[in-house]
Amino acid sequence: MVDVKVVENGVQAKEIVETLVRNGFTMDEIYLLAHDKNRSEDLADAIDTNNIGLKEQGVGSAIANVFRSRGDELRSKMTSLGLSQPEAERYEEELDRGKVLVIASKVA
């Protein structure tokens, strides 16, 4: 099960994370993504959610992401959480517009 929310900022992301936790997701199942890598990491740290890492992606994808463009890396991370390729492409367009994704995944 994957639940994706598109938000404008960290305040909205925090509200969504709190709602997801109330709805049965654990903090270990919630991830934040922004197009800018530093923004992703800063928001994840501030709200205490996860970064999509080796555990979720697997060794091969994690290593390949070092050589991918940021867009390719983001789509790879989203598919590792259970999104389809067309969904990942659509959500990556939202990230291009400066939005933030809150992804809750029981798949990873």
Side-chain angles (χ1 to χ4, degrees), residues 6-42:
V6 180
V7 299
E8 297 284 333
N9 54 49
V11 172
Q12 291 176 347
K14 183 170 177 34
E15 291 170 359
I16 294 297
V17 167
E18 290 168 354
T19 299
L20 290 167
V21 169
R22 282 193 304 272
N23 290 336
F25 285 96
T26 67
M27 292 303 285
D28 288 339
E29 297 168 325
I30 301 173
Y31 304 85
L32 287 176
L33 277 179
H35 203 284
D36 178 84
K37 190 173 194 166
N38 291 331
R39 186 176 183 206
S40 283
E41 291 171 358
D42 291 346

Side-chain angles (χ1 to χ4, degrees), residues 54 57-65 68:
L54 188 61
Q57 297 177 85
V59 174
S61 289
I63 292 171
N65 279 342
R68 291 181 172 143

Side-chain angles (χ1 to χ4, degrees), residues 53-108:
L54 188 61
K55 179 182 95 173
E56 295 81 13
Q57 297 177 85
V59 174
S61 289
I63 292 171
N65 279 342
V66 171
F67 302 101
R68 291 181 172 143
S69 71
R70 181 65 175 158
D72 290 343
E73 177 186 357
L74 290 167
R75 288 187 299 277
S76 172
K77 287 181 174 190
M78 286 185 263
T79 58
S80 74
L81 294 177
L83 276 70
S84 69
Q85 188 64 35
E87 288 172 321
E89 290 170 6
R90 181 169 50 94
Y91 286 121
E92 201 262 327
E93 289 175 8
E94 293 290 341
L95 294 174
D96 286 343
R97 294 184 190 102
K99 308 289 187 195
V100 175
L101 297 182
V102 179
I103 305 172
S105 174
K106 295 210 181 259
V107 176

